[in-house]
């Protein structure tokens, strides 16, 4: 029985040793679990930061997209204005070409000046007009008198 008791003691001692090892292993597992929990917390914090940055990036991207759309719309409007200006410039060029065709050259102006009447010519023309108007008035007066004599002679 003593032998059995020794064996039992040895077995119990082995169990106690195994339990001590298990306790140490459990402690190690608990420590590692604690470390894992800390790492998980850190990962969650990093994920939260990344989600916040992603949200900010999405907002920034939306603002940038809106600005790009506004710039594109403005660019289209500016192109339209430029097209209108080009059209107007082309019209003005056409009008200027027509004006140039109708413009008198220096030679034309010199010829026109030569053909224009001088003050003396105009004065002479006025004198001749006055003389002719006087003659017309005299003839009209004579015709009036003749009509008057003729109507008087018809009455008598």
């Amino acid at each position: 029985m003593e032998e059995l008791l020794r064996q039992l003691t040895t077995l119990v001692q082995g169990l106690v040793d195994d339990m001590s090892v298990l306790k140490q292993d459990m402690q190690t597992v608990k420590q590692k679990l604690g470390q894992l929990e800390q790492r998980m917390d850190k990962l969650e914090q990093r994920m939260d930061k990344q989600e916040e940055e992603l949200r900010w990036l999405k907002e920034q991207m939306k603002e940038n997209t809106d600005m790009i759309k506004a710039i594109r719309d403005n660019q289209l409007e500016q192109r339209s204005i430029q097209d209108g200006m080009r059209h107007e410039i082309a019209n003005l060029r056409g009008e200027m070409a027509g004006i140039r065709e109708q413009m008198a050259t220096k030679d034309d102006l010199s010829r026109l000046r030569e053909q224009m009447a001088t003050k003396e010519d105009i004065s002479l023309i006025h004198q001749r007009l006055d003389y002719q108007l006087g003659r017309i008035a005299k003839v009209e007066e004579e015709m009036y008198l003749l009509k008057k004599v003729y109507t008087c002679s018809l009455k008598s």
Side-chain angles (χ1 to χ4, degrees):
M1 184 120 148
E2 241 182 72
E3 185 64 39
L4 195 54
L5 196 54
R6 268 189 224 173
Q7 282 179 351
L8 209 73
T9 309
T10 309
L11 272 175
V12 169
Q13 188 61 38
L15 280 175
V16 168
D17 290 341
D18 286 343
M19 284 298 281
S20 292
V21 170
L22 270 174
K23 279 184 180 180
Q24 286 177 347
D25 287 345
M26 283 297 284
Q27 282 294 2
T28 305
V29 167
K30 282 182 181 180
Q31 286 176 345
K32 288 188 178 187
L33 269 174
Q35 290 173 349
L36 276 175
E37 283 179 354
Q38 288 176 349
R39 289 180 72 189
M40 285 295 290
D41 289 342
K42 287 180 184 178
L43 279 174
E44 283 180 0
Q45 289 173 352
R46 286 177 64 191
M47 289 277 293
D48 290 343
K49 285 180 184 178
Q50 286 180 346
E51 285 176 356
E52 187 177 326
E53 285 179 20
L54 182 64
R55 189 177 21 235
W56 181 84
L57 286 172
K58 283 181 179 179
E59 288 177 22
Q60 188 65 44
M61 192 164 74
K62 182 183 180 313
E63 287 177 19
N64 291 349
T65 302
D66 291 343
M67 284 191 299
I68 289 171
K69 286 178 182 178
I71 289 169
R72 187 188 61 214
D73 291 345
N74 189 17
Q75 185 180 22
L76 292 174
E77 182 181 343
Q78 292 301 318
R79 283 184 186 162
S80 174
I81 290 170
Q82 287 175 354
D83 288 344
M85 290 173 72
R86 284 186 186 111
H87 183 70
E88 187 64 29
I89 288 170
N91 284 341
L92 290 173
R93 284 182 179 157
E95 288 177 13
M96 285 179 64
I99 290 170
R100 282 188 186 124
E101 287 176 10
Q102 295 175 1
M103 281 177 55
T105 63
K106 288 182 181 178
D107 294 336
D108 293 337
L109 290 174
S110 296
R111 259 185 275 125
L112 289 171
R113 280 191 193 118
E114 289 172 5
Q115 293 173 359
M116 287 176 58
T118 62
K119 286 183 181 180
E120 293 85 21
D121 293 338
I122 294 171
S123 177
L124 184 61
I125 291 170
H126 278 288
Q127 287 174 2
R128 289 177 69 192
L129 274 172
D130 288 344
Y131 172 75
Q132 294 297 332
L133 285 173
R135 285 186 64 198
I136 291 170
K138 199 176 208 181
V139 168
E140 283 180 345
E141 187 179 336
E142 287 176 4
M143 284 177 56
Y144 174 74
L145 289 174
L146 284 173
K147 281 183 187 176
K148 195 174 183 184
V149 168
Y150 178 73
T151 50
C152 283
S153 68
L154 284 177
K155 287 182 184 179
S156 28

